[in-house]
Amino acid sequence: MLTIKHVTLLQDPQAEDFCQDVLTQVCDTVETYLDKNQVCALVLLGGYGRGEGGLICHPVSGKLYPHNNFDLLLILNRQIYADPQLKKSINQALQPISQQAGLGIDISFTTRAKMRSSACRVIWYDMRHGHRTLLGDEDFVPSLTQHTLQNIPAWDARNLLINRGSLLLINRFLLAQNEPDRYRTTIIKHTMKAIIGYGDALLFSLGKYHWSYAEKQLRMTHETSIEPGFKQLYLEAMSFRFSPSYTRFENIELNDWNESIITALQPVHLRCERQRLHQADLTWTSYLKYASSDAFWHNDNQFKNLMKRTLGRLMQEGMMTRRLTIIQEAPPWTYLALTQAEKLPLCFPYVLYRQGKQAEGAADVLTRRYLKNWQNFVDTNLANLLDGLGLSLEEANL
């Protein structure tokens, strides 16, 4: 394992030693399955990769230890990573380390060639500037010079917002189980991540985005064009990320809190989309019409998809099967040409923000249906989260 500098913002010596020990075990495990000439780089991403990981006080020992998962990317020199048995074996071997450390260890796989040819995205921009190389070539990730802030497409920043906003839908699903205390910690953590995601997207729309959490916190503090109520939410969520405390949320009513956060975030989302779509008067009523056309014309694969699809095919998604008079429908030739993963962000505002307009049962079905599609086409890790909580979307027969 390469010598790496600190991975947490507070740089507590004992916590840093703990993180180093866990990461050394991870490296040793990877090296038992792969030769050195097979590994381009094993990279630590996320907050710990930035050197800004959060720490929380252990309830028993009283010592600080990592609050969030370790997110890792294993970049291989050749495409042996496609072997499902290899990925399964490495993941299984990391489980005892994860359980003993009491934190999640998430590892993804890719190749040198794929990273060289990858288009610029927020995640890769963040990685290039904020990472720790644990094994392999320290110079490889910095050499991915296509990943600059100027090259990030606006729709990718929109997807960042949707990805984090989906956590509030997951909260809604968890709260529908009528066991709020069982899921309290998960719901609070989800909410903080969602607030930060919306704030990051807003900073991007203002030309103020940065890969560093600490720098984004500073930029939000000094940005005068942001509504004070949301600014306070963002700054509190960022402070929670660095040094979380759950005690202040012990007595809040989670259903009301979750819906109040959704209400507060809705205008932030709309502001970002007005900027992205260059529609100063955009409303959620007109959103689908403009956003679907934008998605069609700004995706290089859409012309090929259009050739493959029948224009008269009925919309398949459950949330779109009945005519929704509250929104202006998208032109069929644009909407139908989009992939399932591209349609979900377009439906997201209707699903999340119109909860108060629907009967409770209908809202629960819509939430489940959206999350089922999200799980199948965007975030396969959602199934793992729900499994860990003893829940499944399959119960709804979707």
Side-chain angles (χ1 to χ4, degrees):
M1 176 175 167
L2 297 169
T3 301
I4 62 173
K5 53 187 176 180
H6 68 88
V7 297
T8 69
L9 186 70
L10 297 179
Q11 299 183 39
D12 176 79
Q14 287 185 324
E16 288 288 341
D17 289 345
F18 177 83
C19 292
Q20 294 282 344
D21 180 60
V22 173
L23 293 172
T24 298
Q25 294 180 59
V26 169
C27 290
D28 291 344
T29 299
V30 170
E31 288 183 313
T32 63
Y33 288 91
L34 296 165
D35 296 330
K36 288 185 178 180
N37 62 354
Q38 293 176 310
V39 176
C40 171
L42 176 63
V43 183
L44 179 65
L45 311 174
Y48 297 102
R50 292 172 172 88
E52 299 175 343
L55 296 175
I56 190 171
C57 187
H58 195 282
V60 177
S61 68
K63 298 178 181 178
L64 294 174
Y65 77 107
H67 177 242
N68 297 310
N69 294 356
F70 284 165
D71 294 320
L72 300 154
L73 179 66
L74 180 55
I75 307 169
L76 300 175
N77 285 320
R78 296 182 181 178
Q79 200 163 343
I80 57 173
Y81 87 96
D83 177 4
Q85 188 55 48
L86 173 65
K87 294 194 286 185
K88 182 178 180 181
S89 297
I90 292 177
N91 272 296
Q92 287 180 340
L94 293 176
Q95 287 310 301
I97 302 172
S98 174
Q99 292 171 1
Q100 183 177 4
L103 58 88
I105 299 175
D106 301 322
I107 186 167
S108 301
F109 300 77
T110 189
T111 64
R112 173 191 288 264
K114 284 196 171 185
M115 292 308 302
R116 282 279 183 219
S117 61
S118 62
C120 184
R121 299 290 182 264
V122 173
I123 185 175
W124 302 135
Y125 162 76
D126 287 348
M127 177 190 73
R128 181 186 169 210
H129 294 282
H131 70 278
R132 300 288 188 265
T133 299
L134 307 180
L135 292 174
D137 184 359
E138 289 183 276
D139 297 324
F140 179 73
V141 172
S143 74
L144 302 174
T145 54
Q146 71 270 36
H147 301 307
T148 65
L149 183 59
Q150 294 73 24
N151 286 341
I152 298 172
W155 59 259
D156 190 53
R158 184 279 313 271
N159 285 358
L160 165 68
L161 183 151
I162 300 296
N163 183 279
R164 291 294 183 255
S166 68
L167 295 172
L168 299 172
L169 272 180
I170 296 171
N171 281 358
R172 193 176 277 169
F173 172 70
L174 296 178
L175 289 164
Q177 311 308 309
N178 295 317
E179 296 182 89
D181 289 337
R182 178 182 177 186
Y183 307 117
R184 183 173 291 270
T185 297
T186 299
I187 290 168
I188 293 168
K189 187 182 293 188
H190 282 181
T191 304
M192 297 299 112
K193 287 183 177 181
I195 294 169
I196 291 173
Y198 275 66
D200 288 352
L202 181 54
L203 287 173
F204 181 90
S205 74
L206 295 170
K208 302 293 181 66
Y209 187 80
H210 195 273
W211 60 268
S212 163
Y213 285 118
E215 178 62 25
K216 285 185 289 194
Q217 185 181 42
L218 185 63
R219 293 184 181 192
M220 180 66 77
T221 300
H222 296 297
E223 179 55 49
T224 59
S225 69
I226 294 176
E227 193 271 327
F230 175 72
K231 179 184 289 192
Q232 182 179 352
L233 277 179
Y234 181 88
L235 295 177
E236 289 175 352
M238 196 65 85
S239 295
F240 181 93
R241 195 187 196 290
F242 294 138
S243 185
S245 172
Y246 290 89
T247 55
R248 59 172 292 205
F249 303 102
E250 286 178 342
N251 298 317
I252 63 169
E253 204 289 314
L254 290 176
N255 271 295
D256 291 344
W257 184 58
N258 192 59
E259 295 305 319
S260 71
I261 295 297
I262 291 171
T263 299
L265 297 186
Q266 181 271 137
V268 176
H269 188 177
L270 188 58
R271 178 179 178 180
C272 291
E273 288 298 83
R274 284 173 173 167
Q275 176 72 20
R276 184 179 73 88
L277 298 173
H278 307 291
Q279 296 289 334
D281 298 324
L282 186 73
T283 66
W284 293 129
T285 300
S286 61
Y287 177 70
L288 187 58
K289 179 177 70 173
Y290 290 109
S292 62
S293 296
D294 178 83
F296 178 85
W297 291 110
H298 289 87
N299 189 306
D300 293 337
N301 295 323
Q302 291 316 315
F303 286 103
K304 184 170 70 173
N305 289 335
L306 185 61
M307 295 291 290
K308 290 182 177 180
R309 297 165 190 265
T310 302
L311 293 180
R313 195 187 78 183
L314 295 176
M315 298 178 186
Q316 296 295 318
E317 292 72 32
M319 70 281 294
M320 300 299 295
T321 53
R322 291 188 298 275
R323 184 177 298 271
L324 303 173
T325 58
I326 62 167
I327 61 176
Q328 297 174 14
E329 293 184 2
W333 65 281
T334 61
Y335 186 84
L336 293 174
L338 303 179
T339 66
Q340 197 85 340
E342 290 161 340
K343 292 174 184 177
L344 287 171
L346 307 187
C347 301
F348 179 80
Y350 173 77
V351 178
L352 184 64
Y353 305 132
R354 299 198 64 83
Q355 168 82 348
K357 307 288 185 180
Q358 306 164 64
E360 183 175 341
D364 181 55
V365 169
L366 194 59
T367 297
R368 286 171 172 264
R369 188 168 289 152
Y370 186 92
L371 290 177
K372 177 64 174 174
N373 279 275
W374 186 260
Q375 175 181 285
N376 289 344
F377 297 100
V378 179
D379 184 7
T380 56
N381 289 326
L382 176 55
N384 296 330
L385 169 66
L386 295 178
D387 285 346
L389 296 172
L391 298 171
S392 172
L393 294 167
E394 301 296 339
E395 298 171 2
N397 298 317
L398 301 177

